[in-house]
Amino acid sequence: FVCFLVFLSLDGKLGLSPEVEYPLRVAVLSVVLWVFSRKVIDLRVKNWAGTIGIGVLVFVLWIAPDQLIPGYRQHWLFLNSVTGAAPAPAAGYGSLPMLALVFRTLRATVIVPVVEELFWRGWLMRWIIKPDFLSVPLGAYTAQAFWVSAALFAAEHGQFWDVGLMAGVLYNWWMVRTKSLGDCIVAHGVTNGVLLAWVLATGQWQYW
C-alpha cells in the first residue's frame, strides 16, 4: 500500500512518458504483491450475486451526486486546500496514448482492488481491533474499527471523500457480512470496472 501511495504522489512527476510510466507502475506493484502478499491474497468469492451488486451500487453512489446536482463537485467542501482537486494530465486522461490507457485500466480494475482491500479490510480493520491482527478473523466487527477505516478510506479519495465514505462503509459492511477478502476484492474491481466503462462512454475523465 505504501508503494501504491508513492506512485500516486509521483503521478506525472517522474519525467517519463505515459507509455513507460503506467506499465512501470503495474509491473512494480505486481512484483510487490507477488513477493509480499501472494500467500494472503484470496480471490475466492462466497456470494457472487451480492458481491457484483455491491460493486454496482458503489458505482451508482459514486456518480450520483454529480449527475443529480449541477456543479456539486465545485462546492468548497470538495475543492479546498485540504481535499484539493484530482490530479490529471494537462490535456486530461483522454489524451493518454492507448498503451497508457490499457495499463491504467489494468491498474484500476485489477491491481488497485487487491492492494486497497488487503490494506483497508484485510489489515487495518483488524489491526485497529488488536495490533496482533493475525489473531483477529477477517470481518470481525467493532464500531471503532468499522468507522475509522471507512473515514480514512474516504480521506484517501481527496475531493471525492463523500462518496469515498459511502464506498468505505459499504465495502466494510460487505467484509463484516461475508468475512471474505475475495468478495471485497471482486466488489471493488466491479466498481472500478463499471466506472471505467462509464468514463469511456461519457468522457467524464474526472472520475478516473
Side-chain angles (χ1 to χ4, degrees), residues 1-89:
F1 189 73
V2 171
C3 182
F4 171 66
L5 291 181
V6 167
F7 273 124
L8 283 182
S9 68
L10 294 176
D11 196 4
K13 300 175 183 177
L14 294 175
L16 302 173
S17 67
E19 297 97 323
V20 174
E21 181 173 345
Y22 286 102
L24 177 64
R25 291 186 187 194
V26 170
V28 172
L29 286 169
S30 297
V31 169
V32 170
L33 282 172
W34 175 256
V35 172
F36 294 102
S37 305
R38 67 182 185 276
K39 294 182 179 179
V40 295
I41 295 174
D42 185 353
L43 299 178
R44 291 174 295 179
V45 175
K46 294 181 178 179
N47 185 338
W48 277 102
T51 290
I52 293 172
I54 289 291
V56 174
L57 176 59
V58 172
F59 156 73
V60 172
L61 293 174
W62 200 275
I63 68 168
D66 300 311
Q67 306 307 310
L68 297 174
I69 307 172
Y72 174 82
R73 198 61 56 187
Q74 303 306 310
H75 194 277
W76 65 265
L77 284 171
F78 311 112
L79 290 179
N80 55 64
S81 59
V82 177
T83 61

Side-chain angles (χ1 to χ4, degrees), residues 112-122 171 181 184-185 188:
V112 169
V114 174
V115 169
E116 292 203 332
E117 293 310 314
L118 277 173
F119 180 81
W120 296 111
R121 259 64 64 178
Y171 291 147
L181 183 65
C184 288
I185 290 174
H188 201 148

